[in-house]
Amino acid sequence: MNKLESIVVFCASSLGNSDRYEHVAKHVGTVFAQRDIQLVYGGGKVGLMGAVANATLTAGGRVVGVIPHFLNSKEREHTGVTQLITVDTMHDRKRIMNEYADGVIALPGGFGTLEELFEMITWAQLGLHTKPVGLLNVDGYYDHLVAFIHHMVSEGLLKTENQHMLLVGSSVEELLEKMEHYQAPAVPKWIEKDEV
């Protein structure tokens, strides 16, 4: 069983059109604090990012924010977090977030959230880490993405075992349970079994 002491959350720097997204982001933060899971996130104080951070802090949890210098003015860095790390590039941001975390969860978001999620799942596919990567599918927000991933498999461009590396849950409780029981594939995809 994986011990999840620190989890990266990727999500939007806006709130979106549904109040449900903010509600779920706050619930995620509260659950993290209750389970003594440190939140690692993008360091902003606005949108879903701010909602999950504030809820974690309000419930007595620990929050590490990682934000590039050039986003400080756009996302308005959260100075109330437990630890704020300012970096030079987006790549540095993801690298440091990965170093701090035992797993990754993507909440609803846009291009940035998807880019971060898919970089983390690609690193897992390449065997660069063995951490669980989860997609919190709030009210079906990611249904089309999940369907497209199935399409990638049916077209022979993604292996089924790699598809199953992305864990999907409709609640944070369900997703955390899947992450706790996740076992990474033993062999990276480019290594033939007779080579090890």
Side-chain angles (χ1 to χ4, degrees), residues 108-151:
F111 284 158
T113 300
L114 291 178
E115 185 272 334
E116 292 163 334
L117 169 70
F118 279 109
E119 181 148 8
M120 289 299 138
I121 198 68
T122 300
W123 288 0
Q125 179 179 281
L126 296 174
L128 300 177
H129 72 74
T130 59
K131 301 169 186 178
V133 178
L135 192 63
L136 187 53
N137 191 19
V138 179
D139 292 345
Y141 180 80
Y142 283 118
D143 281 355
H144 294 292
L145 178 61
V146 172
F148 181 68
I149 292 170
H150 285 290
H151 177 66

Side-chain angles (χ1 to χ4, degrees), residues 62-81:
R62 302 176 319 279
V63 177
V64 175
V66 185
I67 191 167
H69 292 286
F70 73 90
L71 284 181
N72 284 354
S73 61
K74 295 187 177 195
E75 291 179 348
R76 296 185 293 279
E77 66 184 13
H78 196 316
T79 56
V81 297

Side-chain angles (χ1 to χ4, degrees), residues 169-191:
S170 58
S171 72
V172 67
E173 292 85 357
E174 175 192 2
L175 197 51
L176 288 173
E177 184 171 350
K178 288 182 177 182
M179 292 171 73
E180 287 169 352
H181 293 93
Y182 172 75
Q183 281 193 310
V187 180
K189 72 170 195 170
W190 71 89
I191 298 177

Side-chain angles (χ1 to χ4, degrees), residues 84-123:
L84 183 66
I85 302 169
T86 306
V87 297
D88 292 326
T89 68
M90 294 293 281
H91 179 74
D92 289 340
R93 183 193 219 181
K94 286 176 288 191
R95 177 182 54 80
I96 289 172
M97 290 169 88
N98 179 57
E99 289 172 0
Y100 268 77
D102 303 312
V104 174
I105 293 177
L107 273 60
F111 284 158
T113 300
L114 291 178
E115 185 272 334
E116 292 163 334
L117 169 70
F118 279 109
E119 181 148 8
M120 289 299 138
I121 198 68
T122 300
W123 288 0

